[in-house]
Amino acid sequence: QVTLVESGGGLVQTGGSLRLSCALSGMPFNNYHLAWFRQAPGKEREFVAAIRRVFGNTLYADSVKGRFTISRDNAKNTVYLQMNNLNPDDTGVYYCAASGASYSVPNDYQTWGQGTQVTVVS
């Protein structure tokens, strides 16, 4: 079964940057669409970004467009989330997830990593 492990979270000042990584194992990398979600304290999980397998199409939440970039490295079986110009509203636990169905329907992402904490301070 596919396993995802996130890393790269931490504490950053407003306006700073972080690069999250998610390593995939257990299945061929391009068998799955990959996405990032986040969950702030007291709020529901929120879609952040997705990347389509093989084709590489990307989707972003309006709140992160122009600031975040999702990418993948097929040789390393890893998906990344480059986060620039961070603000406190970006604070939360960031999860990577895999979909064996569509890449554009958040509910299709059924396999999850453990999450990594991102905290943005003023």
Side-chain angles (χ1 to χ4, degrees):
Q1 186 60 243
V2 62
T3 300
L4 303 94
V5 180
E6 302 98 331
S7 62
L11 182 70
V12 66
Q13 188 177 348
T14 296
S17 298
L18 283 173
R19 181 173 175 262
L20 306 182
S21 300
C22 177
L24 181 82
S25 63
M27 288 291 289
F29 188 68
N30 278 331
N31 280 19
Y32 292 92
H33 314 295
L34 296 168
W36 290 94
F37 294 77
R38 67 188 181 188
Q39 187 167 22
K43 296 185 178 180
E44 294 184 350
R45 184 189 65 188
E46 175 189 21
F47 170 79
V48 175
I51 186 164
R52 189 182 184 187
R53 70 178 181 90
V54 180
F55 295 94
N57 309 68
T58 57
L59 292 173
Y60 296 95
D62 288 341
S63 59
V64 306
K65 286 180 180 177
R67 299 189 298 120
F68 291 11
T69 302
I70 187 170
S71 62
R72 66 190 183 200
D73 186 332
N74 293 336
K76 296 181 178 180
N77 288 355
T78 300
V79 62
Y80 303 95
L81 186 68
Q82 178 66 46
M83 306 185 294
N84 298 326
N85 195 23
L86 288 162
N87 62 70
D89 290 336
D90 297 315
T91 293
V93 178
Y94 282 69
Y95 301 90
C96 62
S99 170
S102 78
Y103 87 105
S104 59
V105 178
N107 285 343
D108 283 350
Y109 290 88
Q110 295 293 313
T111 302
W112 298 87
Q114 83 288 348
T116 185
Q117 176 70 44
V118 172
T119 303
V120 185
V121 298
S122 300

